[in-house]
Amino acid sequence: MSPTDRIQCPALQAKLMSAREAAALIPSGANVGMSGFTGAGYPKAVPQALAELMAERRAAGDAQFRIGLWTGASTAPELDGALARVEGIDRRLPYQSDPTCRKLINAGKMYYTDMHLSHVAQAAWFGFLGKLDVAVVEVAGILPDGRLVPSSSVGNNKTWLDQADKIILEVNTWQSAGLAGMHDIYYGTRLPPHRKPIPLTDPSDRIGEPYLRCDPSKVIAVVHTHQADRNTSFSPPDPVSEQIAGHIIDFLQHEVAQGRLPKELLPLQSGVGNIANAVLAGLNRGPFDHLTAYTEVLQDGMLDMLRSGKLRFASATALSLSAEAAADFNANIDHYRERIVLRPQEISNHPELVRRLGVIAMNGMIEADIYGNVNSTHIMGSGIMNGIGGSGDFARNGYLSIFMTPSLAKDGAISCIVPMVSHVDHTEHDVQIIVTEQGLADLRGLAPRQRAPLIVERCAHPSFRPQLLDYIERANQGAPSLHTPHLLEEALSWHVRYLRTGHM
Amino acid sequence: MSPTDRIQCPALQAKLMSAREAAALIPSGANVGMSGFTGAGYPKAVPQALAELMAERRAAGDAQFRIGLWTGASTAPELDGALARVEGIDRRLPYQSDPTCRKLINAGKMYYTDMHLSHVAQAAWFGFLGKLDVAVVEVAGILPDGRLVPSSSVGNNKTWLDQADKIILEVNTWQSAGLAGMHDIYYGTRLPPHRKPIPLTDPSDRIGEPYLRCDPSKVIAVVHTHQADRNTSFSPPDPVSEQIAGHIIDFLQHEVAQGRLPKELLPLQSGVGNIANAVLAGLNRGPFDHLTAYTEVLQDGMLDMLRSGKLRFASATALSLSAEAAADFNANIDHYRERIVLRPQEISNHPELVRRLGVIAMNGMIEADIYGNVNSTHIMGSGIMNGIGGSGDFARNGYLSIFMTPSLAKDGAISCIVPMVSHVDHTEHDVQIIVTEQGLADLRGLAPRQRAPLIVERCAHPSFRPQLLDYIERANQGAPSLHTPHLLEEALSWHVRYLRTGHM
């Protein structure tokens, strides 16, 4: 496909150049806001070209050429991976899941600021993150007047385009031209004290414009690419994921029966990954109809539910699809465009909207403790895994906050239910439901001492249950106070033991 | 004053009875929703009468007579204190600060569910807390049609009146009749999926009605009282509080100079206590004019600012005044009614509104750790102090989140900056600014490893600084990963040492 079909603005067509030429326009030390959310809609050529330039400069003795990298969320090997391999990122925010980035962050070679995804755009507007120098944004096309057809994610692109001094656009002709019209870019945000209510009351509401505004005079380069998004392949649901999904669906049915949820539930938010996909697969076979989703990421399971009709509408900020699902999505995009809207992440994750809609928040975690505190980000207290992402936006403000994990990790060496988590991302005040393949603990309204035995009995793996019950019993005897009884000298000893012996 | 001036509804006048008769209508095991927020507007007679009945039943061998007690927030000795002394509370939510309650909770004799104050009303509506049997609500008067003039706090009264099967009203003629018209009770809340935007865009906006609705057929008793609210006496600001206030005011001036805050700032939220009052006193002498407050509690310092004109308007859910300030308030209530609005706590603390208005959140804390996690609730990991209150509502959603504490406690035996907090109420993702009398650490945009030396150098007391820097240095060498370097075997050792030796 010729890029000229997609670049309809003559002034911007004149700025077509190679990725290498465009990358050369990014100065060392710049803060660069790139598109990309969960491996969708990230720039694919300029970051790699920039990494090559950095490698050349490294070879010539310049160890200093680095950028600050801001995105929507996680990207892909061509972006985070390529820049991390040349140690080209000084500071990374607000989320990453790249193995090379993770290695550098945990080696103390890259700074990482892990943020609530709903906070990022406003923090940039407020000036809390420093100056944004360059935006590098993938788009599906450029209209004659310079407006942009967004790609397979929206993320923070509106904010990067607004805030950056200079803009580099990657026009990716692999992305379906049919994406046009699927997005809803809300331009009603303001800085306080000038903010107004956000007029969205249903996941299907459109409150903005289908295109991104862009000042053509800020555009310093346009690059043509034709390359697929990172594939997110999912394994077929394993028995553990199926059991977790089963507990959640049973619980939702119970809540409907008790009159605490309408029969079409409330808008679903679902984290990414195999457990989340198993829950969605379960819902697709399950008893609920006319469902909606108000979530960050639309993955395979939701596409299946849209196809089956179980899901009437899905709002997200990004797609995250397997190769097969992406092919289906592109082939049937007219069907999906009536049923999907992609929004900026400040809207998809907005506390105002998550609370108003009453989202059912379902997020994975690394570990929970006996009092219901959840660690979503850290391995053994010190190392980052990925980041908090939007889990806090949804869990704090949703109607229900569900956290899920298998009860064991590392072939049984690690219990995901521990006396005290080694890092807290979601406090006891924000966690209502904990689920493992063993069962579900409903913590609503309970005091800490009531939560502990429930979490252990319902959620911990039997191989760790006696030790946990022993800790609870001894803490109830020996703790200095009994609101949240802890033996501080051994509260983190499970993690210490794992670090020393390889087993908790 | 005759109660009949205040009880203008004949049907409800007919239900006048003694506090003892009214208390006898509350069955054992009932969940009772009482009014009261920070020692204002709580029922003063019925709870004491109920405690007496419980004491009599205890003497007669009935150890089981207890209630579940739900309020707005903290109350006073006549309520929490009286019921706790007879061990009459089975489960307490969502906040308390009573010494007897605290003792029982920490002795394992009372369950306490510590909740975000913005979550309570909706959790009750959702059915997540169980059935509410009785509401006991102090009011300033009853209108001919049965509507209620709210008292000196609103708290969760609207929800308790709506949700309870039976209602007991305490008409307190000590409260100024001039309170009528000061309140704004928003009746536009709905259960999802029927929620609409809350139409409030300035702290001074009125979006509801001045009176509480009440179904007279649910009222089982009306009791007359004439008794002052608990006095909240403040010490004159001590040097430590003055220094903390000074750092905050310098910081706010810096933010205005940098263009990150308008010169009239943004709506202030301030926790309660001597440090908060010192900050308000500093602002009252300071360079800012035309300020507003959007907060939970209006204390002496804000009244001073309203009188001086520094503060143009204050929105809260409760008063918390010294005896002198209360006298001034009652004497000048017509002046204050133009400048103060009292709202339900679901509105004063609503995430939607806190974020829209861009509140400057200033809250006290017990301790912070070197990575910016904040403990607002627990003593040495196990014991409750008071509760999280609204600090999470404001810190998570505000424009700025500031946490403050003296750097030392217990005459220097405790450092309020520690390697790892013993309980997390506000995660690293929610804490922007930490202040002690030593200085202020601005954590915005920083990675954990950047925060640690800054917090120690700016905020820790010099007597603990070398130990903290030593921990950081050794953690940077010896931690298994360097994103958030921790030595888990000693991360909580400062607390353990304090428990063993009385000194960190």
Side-chain angles (χ1 to χ4, degrees):
Chain A
M1 181 182 292
S2 153
T4 52
D5 299 343
R6 296 283 189 97
I7 309 171
Q8 299 174 355
C9 171
L12 295 187
Q13 233 174 39
K15 290 177 180 162
L16 255 175
M17 63 181 78
S18 72
R20 188 178 170 90
E21 288 169 314
L25 301 174
I26 298 174
S28 178
N31 283 325
V32 184
M34 296 204 188
S35 61
F37 197 110
T38 329
Y42 55 91
K44 291 157 180 80
V46 172
Q48 291 192 91
L50 180 62
E52 283 164 23
L53 288 174
M54 285 173 169
E56 291 167 21
R57 293 266 285 272
R58 297 276 183 278
D62 174 2
Q64 298 307 314
F65 189 7
R66 281 195 182 79
I67 61 166
L69 175 60
W70 309 358
T71 62
S74 60
T75 66
E78 304 97 303
L79 201 175
D80 268 306
L83 288 167
R85 275 190 297 277
V86 296
E87 297 191 14
I89 307 169
D90 177 46
R91 182 166 58 134
R92 181 75 177 89
L93 64 84
Y95 184 88
Q96 64 73 40
S97 66
D98 181 80
T100 313
C101 275
R102 186 183 302 132
K103 201 171 138 191
L104 290 174
I105 295 165
N106 286 332
K109 294 181 175 177
M110 187 192 301
Y111 287 121
Y112 175 44
T113 306
D114 178 21
M115 299 174 70
H116 297 297
L117 295 185
S118 80
H119 284 194
V120 185
Q122 71 171 13
W125 278 99
F126 294 167
F128 291 178
L129 303 175
K131 178 87 196 70
L132 185 65
D133 301 293
V134 185
V136 182
V137 175
E138 177 179 287
V139 296
I142 304 176
L143 300 183
D145 61 6
R147 284 181 301 161
L148 308 172
V149 181
S151 177
S152 49
S153 71
V154 180
N156 287 312
N157 294 350
K158 162 180 162 281
T159 299
W160 298 169
L161 292 166
D162 278 336
Q163 290 284 294
D165 289 335
K166 297 172 178 174
I167 296 168
I168 296 172
L169 298 173
E170 283 199 9
V171 180
N172 185 354
T173 49
W174 179 86
Q175 300 286 4
S176 170
L179 282 168
M182 186 176 282
H183 310 86
D184 185 59
I185 315 297
Y186 180 61
Y187 279 95
T189 58
R190 296 284 178 275
L191 295 186
H194 305 295
R195 284 179 169 165
K196 301 291 177 205
I198 302 170
L200 185 147
T201 58
D202 186 273
S204 66
D205 285 350
R206 290 183 169 274
I207 58 174
E209 309 165 10
Y211 307 114
L212 286 159
R213 300 177 191 170
C214 174
D215 176 354
S217 74
K218 295 206 297 185
V219 177
I220 55 172
V222 177
V223 174
H224 172 227
T225 64
H226 188 85
Q227 196 179 329
D229 277 330
R230 177 190 88 187
N231 291 334
T232 307
S233 60
F234 293 104
S235 0
D238 57 86
V240 163
S241 300
E242 296 265 20
Q243 283 165 331
I244 292 173
H247 296 311
I248 291 176
I249 291 164
D250 287 349
F251 169 75
L252 295 173
Q253 283 191 278
H254 175 75
E255 290 298 294
V256 172
Q258 295 295 312
R260 287 193 292 257
L261 274 177
K263 66 183 181 3
E264 65 281 14
L265 304 182
L266 286 165
L268 305 169
Q269 177 261 331
S270 163
V272 186
N274 289 325
I275 297 177
N277 248 351
V279 173
L280 297 174
L283 286 168
N284 202 20
R285 292 188 305 268
F288 309 112
D289 292 299
H290 309 296
L291 301 173
T292 58
Y294 196 80
T295 191
E296 279 174 12
V297 176
L298 202 143
Q299 55 179 332
D300 286 24
M302 284 203 181
L303 221 56
D304 295 340
M305 290 175 72
L306 283 170
R307 211 165 35 238
S308 75
K310 281 280 185 184
L311 192 63
R312 83 169 156 85
F313 203 91
S315 167
T317 191
L319 308 173
S320 184
L321 301 176
S322 68
E324 306 74 51
D328 166 65
F329 177 82
N330 287 332
N332 297 291
I333 199 154
D334 292 336
H335 175 86
Y336 288 120
R337 203 187 309 101
E338 303 298 308
R339 289 160 183 83
I340 295 172
V341 62
L342 298 178
R343 312 177 188 278
Q345 72 192 67
E346 71 199 273
I347 299 298
S348 65
N349 287 39
H350 202 295
E352 172 174 343
L353 304 177
V354 173
R355 175 139 166 170
R356 182 180 304 148
L357 296 173
V359 166
I360 298 174
M362 300 181 283
N363 289 286
M365 61 175 166
I366 291 172
E367 59 181 1
D369 69 28
I370 56 174
Y371 295 116
N373 300 284
V374 163
N375 170 15
S376 300
T377 58
H378 279 63
I379 303 297
M380 303 297 144
S382 298
I384 192 73
M385 184 65 201
N386 298 325
I388 191 167
S391 57
D393 298 321
F394 292 102
R396 170 73 65 90
N397 299 299
Y399 185 89
L400 285 171
S401 72
I402 301 171
F403 286 93
M404 50 205 185
T405 178
S407 66
L408 296 176
K410 296 277 177 199
D411 294 325
I414 290 176
S415 172
C416 299
I417 307 294
V418 292
M420 179 184 268
V421 287
S422 60
H423 186 88
V424 178
D425 295 288
H426 307 287
T427 74
E428 51 159 336
H429 316 283
D430 294 318
V431 176
Q432 295 177 339
I433 313 285
I434 291 179
V435 198
T436 70
E437 82 287 353
Q438 299 293 319
L440 180 148
D442 179 357
L443 311 178
R444 289 175 294 176
L446 298 186
R449 271 188 305 127
Q450 297 173 299
R451 292 174 210 146
L454 192 70
I455 292 171
V456 173
E457 281 155 23
R458 296 283 168 83
C459 300
H461 192 272
S463 63
F464 285 101
R465 224 176 272 169
Q467 276 171 267
L468 287 162
L469 292 173
D470 175 61
Y471 179 84
I472 293 172
E473 194 182 320
R474 288 184 299 109
N476 274 308
Q477 302 298 320
S481 291
L482 300 183
H483 176 57
T484 308
H486 263 308
L487 304 170
L488 290 186
E489 54 284 350
E490 64 171 286
L492 296 171
S493 65
W494 292 38
H495 302 84
V496 171
R497 191 159 52 241
Y498 175 79
L499 288 168
R500 284 189 186 149
T501 69
H503 197 285
M504 277 190 171
Chain B
M1 179 180 295
S2 154
T4 51
D5 299 344
R6 296 285 188 95
I7 308 171
Q8 300 173 353
C9 171
L12 295 188
Q13 236 174 37
K15 292 178 178 161
L16 255 173
M17 61 182 78
S18 72
R20 188 179 170 91
E21 288 169 315
L25 301 173
I26 298 174
S28 178
N31 283 325
V32 184
M34 296 206 188
S35 61
F37 197 111
T38 330
Y42 54 92
K44 291 158 181 80
V46 173
Q48 290 192 92
L50 180 62
E52 284 163 22
L53 289 174
M54 284 172 170
E56 291 167 20
R57 293 265 285 269
R58 298 275 183 279
D62 175 3
Q64 298 307 313
F65 189 7
R66 282 196 181 79
I67 60 166
L69 176 59
W70 310 357
T71 61
S74 60
T75 67
E78 304 97 305
L79 201 174
D80 268 307
L83 288 168
R85 275 191 297 277
V86 296
E87 299 192 14
I89 307 169
D90 178 46
R91 182 166 57 134
R92 180 76 177 89
L93 64 84
Y95 184 87
Q96 64 73 40
S97 66
D98 181 80
T100 313
C101 275
R102 185 184 302 132
K103 203 172 136 192
L104 289 175
I105 295 165
N106 286 332
K109 294 180 175 178
M110 187 194 301
Y111 288 120
Y112 176 43
T113 306
D114 177 22
M115 298 174 69
H116 297 297
L117 296 185
S118 80
H119 284 195
V120 184
Q122 70 170 14
W125 278 98
F126 294 167
F128 292 179
L129 304 175
K131 178 88 195 69
L132 185 65
D133 301 293
V134 185
V136 183
V137 175
E138 176 180 286
V139 296
I142 303 177
L143 300 184
D145 61 4
R147 284 180 300 161
L148 309 173
V149 181
S151 178
S152 50
S153 70
V154 181
N156 287 313
N157 294 350
K158 163 180 162 282
T159 300
W160 297 169
L161 293 167
D162 278 336
Q163 291 284 295
D165 287 336
K166 297 172 178 174
I167 296 169
I168 296 172
L169 298 173
E170 282 199 10
V171 180
N172 185 353
T173 49
W174 179 88
Q175 300 286 5
S176 170
L179 281 169
M182 187 175 281
H183 311 85
D184 186 59
I185 315 298
Y186 180 61
Y187 280 95
T189 56
R190 296 282 178 277
L191 295 186
H194 305 294
R195 286 180 169 164
K196 301 291 176 204
I198 301 171
L200 185 150
T201 58
D202 186 273
S204 67
D205 284 351
R206 289 184 170 275
I207 58 174
E209 308 165 11
Y211 306 115
L212 286 159
R213 301 179 191 170
C214 174
D215 176 355
S217 73
K218 294 205 297 183
V219 177
I220 56 170
V222 177
V223 175
H224 173 226
T225 64
H226 188 85
Q227 197 179 329
D229 277 329
R230 178 189 88 189
N231 292 333
T232 307
S233 61
F234 293 105
S235 358
D238 57 87
V240 163
S241 300
E242 296 266 21
Q243 284 166 330
I244 291 172
H247 296 312
I248 291 175
I249 291 164
D250 288 350
F251 169 75
L252 294 174
Q253 284 192 277
H254 175 76
E255 290 299 294
V256 172
Q258 296 295 312
R260 287 193 291 257
L261 273 178
K263 68 182 180 0
E264 66 281 13
L265 305 182
L266 286 165
L268 304 169
Q269 177 262 332
S270 164
V272 186
N274 289 323
I275 297 177
N277 248 350
V279 173
L280 298 173
L283 286 168
N284 202 20
R285 292 188 305 267
F288 310 112
D289 293 299
H290 309 296
L291 301 174
T292 58
Y294 196 81
T295 190
E296 276 175 15
V297 176
L298 202 143
Q299 56 177 332
D300 284 24
M302 284 201 181
L303 221 55
D304 295 341
M305 292 175 71
L306 283 169
R307 211 165 35 239
S308 73
K310 281 280 184 181
L311 192 63
R312 84 169 154 85
F313 203 92
S315 167
T317 191
L319 308 173
S320 183
L321 302 175
S322 67
E324 305 74 52
D328 166 66
F329 176 83
N330 286 331
N332 298 290
I333 198 155
D334 292 336
H335 174 85
Y336 289 120
R337 203 187 308 103
E338 302 298 310
R339 290 160 181 84
I340 294 172
V341 63
L342 298 178
R343 310 177 188 279
Q345 73 193 66
E346 70 198 273
I347 299 298
S348 65
N349 288 38
H350 202 294
E352 172 174 342
L353 304 176
V354 174
R355 175 139 166 170
R356 181 180 304 147
L357 296 172
V359 165
I360 298 175
M362 300 183 284
N363 290 286
M365 62 175 165
I366 292 172
E367 59 181 1
D369 70 28
I370 56 174
Y371 296 115
N373 300 285
V374 162
N375 170 15
S376 300
T377 58
H378 278 62
I379 304 296
M380 302 297 144
S382 298
I384 194 71
M385 183 67 200
N386 298 326
I388 191 167
S391 57
D393 298 321
F394 292 104
R396 169 74 64 89
N397 299 300
Y399 185 88
L400 285 171
S401 73
I402 300 172
F403 286 93
M404 50 206 186
T405 178
S407 66
L408 296 176
K410 295 277 176 201
D411 294 325
I414 290 176
S415 173
C416 298
I417 307 295
V418 292
M420 179 184 268
V421 288
S422 60
H423 186 87
V424 178
D425 294 289
H426 306 287
T427 75
E428 52 158 338
H429 316 284
D430 293 319
V431 177
Q432 294 177 339
I433 312 286
I434 290 179
V435 197
T436 70
E437 82 289 352
Q438 298 293 319
L440 180 148
D442 179 357
L443 310 179
R444 289 174 294 176
L446 299 186
R449 271 187 306 127
Q450 296 174 299
R451 293 174 210 147
L454 191 71
I455 292 171
V456 173
E457 281 156 23
R458 296 283 168 83
C459 299
H461 191 272
S463 64
F464 285 102
R465 224 175 273 168
Q467 277 170 267
L468 286 163
L469 292 173
D470 175 61
Y471 179 85
I472 293 173
E473 194 183 320
R474 289 183 298 108
N476 274 307
Q477 302 297 321
S481 289
L482 300 182
H483 176 58
T484 308
H486 262 308
L487 304 170
L488 290 186
E489 56 284 348
E490 64 171 287
L492 296 171
S493 65
W494 291 40
H495 303 83
V496 172
R497 191 157 52 241
Y498 175 79
L499 288 168
R500 285 189 185 148
T501 70
H503 197 287
M504 277 190 171

